[in-house]
């Protein structure tokens, strides 16, 4: 079969599109022995895939391997005890292996998608929306609260803004360019602020004291201003470190205004509290069926031209999701 391969962990520039790969055997290592084989129509890449290509992701797999953590496609084979059946339209998170003609799925991180959702939107759906959904739940977000979103034109950022439509009062996007501002506005941001324009002060002014939640998939040196942008009792949600550096927090800043810094990592939560993933999947499936989610795909690549997929992420050129048309090649 064909697949987009990382031959060695030397970064995004070494990707190879190969047509001599073996068919996936057995079950995914995360699937507890339950085989779920999917014919891939579209695949997507995200920041963890970029980290994996450098051997820097804690859940990575040894090279050579097929890249791509997300997919949408049709179930070919499923275990008799599975809730899935051959022919089901599904989308899911595979950690690696999705940018190929067939992938082994992880049943607990797989959702059915309706005929109204395209394969491209399906590939852009699961990881970003699951992360955004879990983040808002961990934050204790309630309708009417103010939320500030960093990296608001990226995958997690656009999904978070989409889930906050009509709910946050206000949703504030922080971006670095006009193009990213346009993306954030399209995805539902009530207010868009620029990274270099005193955004923390403006957020406090706009909300009369600060937002209730900051969602941060970027990290880096903005953490202090993120804490300053919070109201008393506010929560800083640590989703990732796309900027490349891991910040440190002075605890006195938390003490003085009763602030919280909360980590967001879905798989350890599911391991500790089994069954949460099924609740999350049910919510995502219901949202997809209702047509209330609108994945933002900023880059759509033909399979034959997909070797730059991780490069788009590495250059910080990505707006929304980077999706590869696998079946259309």
């Amino acid at each position: 079969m064909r697949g987009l391969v990382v031959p060695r962990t030397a970064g995004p520039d070494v990707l190879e599109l190969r047509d001599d790969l073996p068919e996936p055997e057995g079950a995914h290592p995360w699937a507890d022995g339950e085989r779920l084989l999917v014919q891939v129509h579209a695949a997507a890449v995200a920041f963890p895939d970029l980290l994996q290509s450098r051997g820097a992701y804690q859940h990575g797999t040894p090279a050579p391997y097929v890249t791509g953590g997300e997919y949408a496609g049709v179930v070919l084979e499923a275990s008799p005890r599975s809730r899935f059946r051959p022919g089901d339209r599904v989308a899911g998170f595979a950690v690696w292996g999705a940018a190929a003609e067939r992938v082994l799925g992880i049943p607990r991180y797989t959702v059915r998608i309706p005929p109204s959702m395209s394969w491209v939107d399906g590939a852009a759906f699961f990881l970003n929306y699951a992360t955004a959904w879990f983040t808002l739940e961990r934050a204790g977000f309630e309708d009417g609260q103010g939320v500030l979103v960093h990296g608001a034109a990226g995958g997690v950022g656009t999904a978070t803004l989409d889930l906050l439509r009509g709910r946050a009062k206000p949703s504030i996007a922080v971006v670095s360019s006009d193009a990213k501002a346009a993306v954030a506005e399209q995805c539902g941001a009530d207010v868009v602020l620029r990274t270099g324009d005193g955004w923390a002060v403006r957020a406090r002014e706009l909300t009369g004291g600060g937002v209730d939640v900051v969602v941060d998939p970027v990290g880096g040196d903005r953490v202090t201003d993120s804490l300053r942008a919070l109201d008393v009792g506010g929560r800083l949600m640590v989703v990732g470190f796309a900027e490349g550096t891991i910040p440190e927090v002075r605890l006195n800043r938390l003490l003085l205004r009763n602030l919280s810094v909360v980590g967001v990592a879905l798989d350890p939560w599911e391991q500790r509290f089994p069954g949460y993933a099924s609740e999350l999947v049910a919510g995502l499936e219901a949202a997809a069926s209702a047509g209330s989610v609108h994945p933002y795909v900023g880059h759509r690549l033909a399979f034959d031209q997909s070797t730059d997929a991780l490069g788009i992420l590495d250059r910080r050129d990505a707006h929304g999701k980077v999706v590869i048309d696998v079946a259309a090649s």
Side-chain angles (χ1 to χ4, degrees):
M1 68 175 187
R2 301 185 81 197
L4 189 60
V5 174
V6 177
R8 58 190 182 281
T9 51
D13 297 332
V14 299
L15 288 181
E16 299 174 352
L17 185 60
R18 294 173 50 181
D19 59 7
D20 60 348
L21 302 179
E23 295 280 335
E25 296 182 350
H28 192 286
W30 289 28
D32 299 322
E34 185 176 337
R35 180 171 171 85
L36 179 64
L37 182 66
V38 177
Q39 177 183 336
V40 178
H41 282 253
V45 295
F47 187 67
D49 301 303
L50 179 60
L51 290 178
Q52 280 198 68
S53 75
R54 294 191 169 109
Y57 186 52
Q58 66 268 32
H59 301 307
T61 191
Y65 67 91
V66 173
T67 192
E70 300 161 83
Y71 64 88
V74 176
V75 173
L76 294 175
E77 298 178 28
S79 165
R81 59 191 172 96
S82 173
R83 74 186 191 97
F84 300 105
R85 295 292 180 268
D88 284 351
R89 300 177 91 252
V90 295
F93 176 52
V95 194
W96 62 82
E101 292 176 320
R102 283 167 287 284
V103 66
L104 291 173
I106 305 170
R108 68 179 181 273
Y109 295 143
T110 305
V111 295
R112 292 189 182 91
I113 57 173
S116 57
M117 178 175 277
S118 70
W119 297 121
V120 170
D121 283 353
F125 177 46
F126 185 86
L127 182 59
N128 288 340
Y129 281 83
T131 301
W133 193 295
F134 181 52
T135 299
L136 294 175
E137 285 198 348
R138 289 278 286 135
F141 169 76
E142 297 178 355
D143 288 2
Q145 293 185 331
V147 182
L148 184 146
V149 181
H150 288 296
V156 172
T158 54
T160 303
L161 290 172
D162 193 22
L163 292 179
L164 291 173
R165 289 177 193 264
R167 301 178 61 198
K169 304 294 182 184
S171 61
I172 301 174
V174 178
V175 299
S176 60
S177 70
D178 289 344
K180 292 180 178 180
V183 171
E185 289 172 353
Q186 183 174 334
C187 292
D190 297 314
V191 179
V192 180
L193 302 177
R194 298 302 180 84
T195 51
D197 293 342
W199 53 267
V201 173
R202 288 287 296 130
R204 291 180 65 84
E205 292 173 348
L206 289 165
T207 55
V211 296
D212 300 284
V213 178
V214 171
V215 176
D216 185 11
V218 178
D221 60 5
R222 65 185 67 197
V223 63
T224 299
D225 279 339
S226 291
L227 295 174
R228 289 172 176 153
L230 288 167
D231 199 355
V232 172
R235 290 85 74 194
L236 170 59
M237 309 305 295
V238 180
V239 181
F241 309 105
E243 191 270 345
T245 59
I246 299 176
E248 297 181 356
V249 176
R250 292 179 59 182
L251 295 183
N252 65 308
R253 296 186 182 278
L254 310 185
L255 173 65
L256 294 175
R257 290 192 296 120
N258 292 278
L259 304 179
S260 301
V261 178
V262 183
V264 180
L266 176 58
D267 198 63
W269 192 265
E270 166 64 17
Q271 296 299 323
R272 178 61 182 85
F273 303 105
Y276 176 78
S278 61
E279 297 175 14
L280 176 64
V281 162
L284 293 174
E285 288 185 344
S289 294
S292 59
V293 292
H294 314 86
Y296 186 89
V297 177
H299 308 264
R300 184 174 178 179
L301 307 176
F303 206 6
D304 289 333
Q305 299 173 335
S306 61
T307 54
D308 191 39
L310 296 182
I312 293 170
L313 297 171
D314 194 38
R315 295 189 299 272
R316 310 293 170 85
D317 290 340
H319 297 169
K321 204 68 181 175
V322 179
V323 175
I324 300 166
D325 278 305
V326 173
S329 62

